[in-house]
Amino acid sequence: MVIQATTRVESLSTSGIHQIPKEYIRPQEELRSITNIFDEETNKQKPQVPTVDLTDIESDDPEKRHKCSEELKKAAMEWGVMHVVNHGVSGDLIGRVKAAGEGFFGLPVEEKEKYGNDPDGGRIQGYGSKLANNASGQLEWEDYFFHLVFPEEKRDLTIWPTTPSDYTDATTEYAKQLRALATKILSALSLGLGLEEGRLEKEVGGIEELILQLKINYYPKCPQPELALGVEAHTDVSALTFILHNMVPGLQLIYDGQWVSAQCVPDSIILRIGDTLEILSNGKYKSILHRGLVNKEKVRISWAVFCEPPKEKIVLKPLPETVSEAEPPLFPPRTFQQHMEHKLFRKNKDEVMQN
């Protein structure tokens, strides 16, 4: 089977194939670590991603607030990922966001194609599938819908789905609430580094410049899940990433040198620390390597919102307060755009050397 640039993974999944095309088969050294996600989910022997209760993140009681900040800091330093509960985003709104995303991906492929993107032509927002932009020509078992959701004046509503009808309202309100949650989390993490409360938010662009981008990841059923990945191992370039999912497991993270599966915790949002905060904190906060497994029984959907600094306006480098003679800067100064380009260049270089 020839994989066209516009071949959707959903179409492959529903075509009745029993073997996946070779472009989706992972390299041999990677295959050894791909396991059955449902077995992994019930494996209590492995370390578990921490759960952090945000009830007291803005408490008037200094002791309670400090305790909450310390838990957040500990998870960010040791893991770089956590389930956050009592986060202040209502279950009703989260239900609407999920229903809207599921409704869009429930449309026929040809209907979704009306929102198709064109990364080669510079149009990255919209409906798409991973193109082979790496040296190995490797593809991932996912389709997605990607667009900027905050600030509102920077959105391009012409590419937002009109079906389901609640998509725009639900997504807009969710983005607004996540933006407020990001401020609370950045404040707590600033205190965790001994900085003033508003410092990290200021360093990533502040109220005006921090942008939120939503990527709905759609992982269709895969006839050979032991050979494929929904998303390959990577770290996020963002400052923070917030993730919802449809309670189907699949997210894995490297912890203590082994792949660990994130459990499905009801009413939680998964929070990941991205490269931006790792750089600013001089490596004290961890940007964790993660990937997505697929399965043959259930479709998995996740909603990832990336909180990113402006591409050119800010130079990312370890903050002076995080650097000392004993802890010299681990990262050279780069704009966010330069950091993204550096990662892509390094990744392609590594792949060329491996092939």
Side-chain angles (χ1 to χ4, degrees):
M1 181 184 286
V2 177
I3 303 299
Q4 306 295 335
T6 53
T7 298
R8 300 304 177 202
V9 178
E10 181 186 353
S11 301
L12 287 175
S13 174
T14 56
S15 68
I17 59 168
H18 298 293
Q19 294 182 314
I20 62 175
K22 65 180 188 320
E23 291 89 344
Y24 293 92
I25 298 174
R26 306 308 301 179
Q28 198 56 46
E29 66 275 9
E30 220 174 3
L31 291 177
R32 285 190 283 272
S33 72
I34 296 177
T35 48
N36 182 313
I37 190 61
F38 296 114
D39 293 345
E40 282 290 319
E41 195 199 12
T42 54
N43 183 353
K44 303 294 184 202
Q45 305 306 309
K46 285 192 174 179
Q48 303 292 310
V49 173
T51 297
V52 176
D53 188 334
L54 298 182
T55 302
D56 294 322
I57 196 165
E58 289 190 305
S59 173
D60 293 333
D61 181 334
E63 206 171 302
K64 286 182 178 175
R65 191 171 182 175
H66 178 70
K67 186 170 179 288
C68 180
S69 290
E70 284 297 304
E71 282 182 25
L72 200 55
K73 168 187 169 180
K74 185 172 187 281
M77 287 184 164
E78 289 180 10
W79 278 83
V81 64
M82 65 204 83
H83 302 281
V84 294
V85 295
N86 296 314
H87 39 66
V89 183
S90 78
D92 175 60
L93 178 58
I94 287 174
R96 285 172 58 203
V97 168
K98 288 183 179 181
E102 286 166 351
F104 174 75
F105 274 98
L107 296 171
V109 169
E110 53 274 18
E111 195 61 34
K112 294 193 283 273
E113 289 295 359
K114 293 175 184 174
Y115 301 92
N117 64 5
D118 178 17
D120 289 343
R123 200 174 72 245
I124 59 168
Q125 296 193 72
Y127 172 61
S129 306
K130 170 73 179 278
L131 299 176
N133 63 354
N134 50 20
S136 61
Q138 200 80 56
L139 295 173
E140 295 165 323
W141 195 261
E142 73 150 346
D143 300 323
Y144 63 81
F145 192 88
F146 177 77
H147 60 122
L148 185 149
V149 293
F150 195 90
E152 292 183 10
E153 66 274 11
K154 292 185 179 171
R155 301 176 305 172
D156 178 3
L157 290 175
T158 63
I159 56 107
W160 286 43
T162 52
T163 305
S165 57
D166 191 38
Y167 187 96
T168 297
D169 286 350
T171 305
T172 297
E173 183 55 32
Y174 181 59
K176 222 183 288 183
Q177 293 198 21
L178 278 192
R179 183 63 189 85
L181 180 58
T183 291
K184 295 173 193 175
I185 286 166
L186 289 169
S187 295
L189 291 174
S190 292
L191 294 173
L193 293 173
L195 306 168
E196 286 180 16
E197 237 180 311
R199 182 68 182 281
L200 283 178
E201 179 153 26
K202 178 172 165 276
E203 296 289 345
V204 296
I207 297 295
E208 296 77 25
E209 297 287 350
L210 187 70
I211 65 165
L212 273 59
Q213 315 229 50
L214 168 65
K215 185 171 178 237
I216 307 176
N217 300 297
Y218 184 84
Y219 305 103
K221 296 175 192 175
C222 180
Q224 293 178 298
E226 70 284 1
L227 298 181
L229 284 175
V231 62
E232 61 191 12
H234 68 286
T235 60
D236 293 343
V237 292
S238 58
L240 300 170
T241 305
F242 295 101
I243 301 127
L244 297 174
H245 53 79
N246 65 338
M247 296 301 283
V248 174
L251 174 63
Q252 288 197 317
L253 317 113
I254 279 280
Y255 183 76
D256 261 357
Q258 62 179 326
W259 286 108
V260 172
S261 295
Q263 308 291 307
C264 292
V265 176
D267 304 318
S268 71
I269 296 176
I270 295 172
L271 169 65
R272 277 198 305 257
I273 303 295
D275 297 348
T276 296
L277 284 195
E278 182 173 66
I279 292 166
L280 291 171
S281 69
N282 201 29
K284 291 175 176 61
Y285 294 144
K286 302 280 181 288
S287 181
I288 194 166
L289 191 69
H290 58 279
R291 68 182 186 182
L293 299 193
V294 290
N295 71 84
K296 60 167 67 171
E297 294 154 47
K298 295 178 179 178
V299 169
R300 179 170 180 262
I301 309 176
S302 68
W303 290 255
V305 174
F306 305 97
C307 304
E308 298 179 353
K311 286 184 175 166
E312 303 288 0
K313 286 188 180 176
I314 290 171
V315 175
L316 294 176
K317 60 182 180 183
L319 298 175
E321 296 89 337
T322 66
V323 174
S324 65
E325 212 169 302
E327 294 178 306
L330 299 173
F331 307 93
R334 289 192 180 105
T335 64
F336 186 61
Q337 181 66 32
Q338 287 168 338
H339 173 66
M340 290 193 290
E341 287 167 2
H342 170 73
K343 273 186 94 166
L344 188 63
F345 170 74
R346 200 176 59 199
K347 179 174 180 294
N348 287 344
K349 192 170 149 203
D350 288 349
E351 282 172 354
V352 167
M353 288 167 74
Q354 285 166 15
N355 283 298

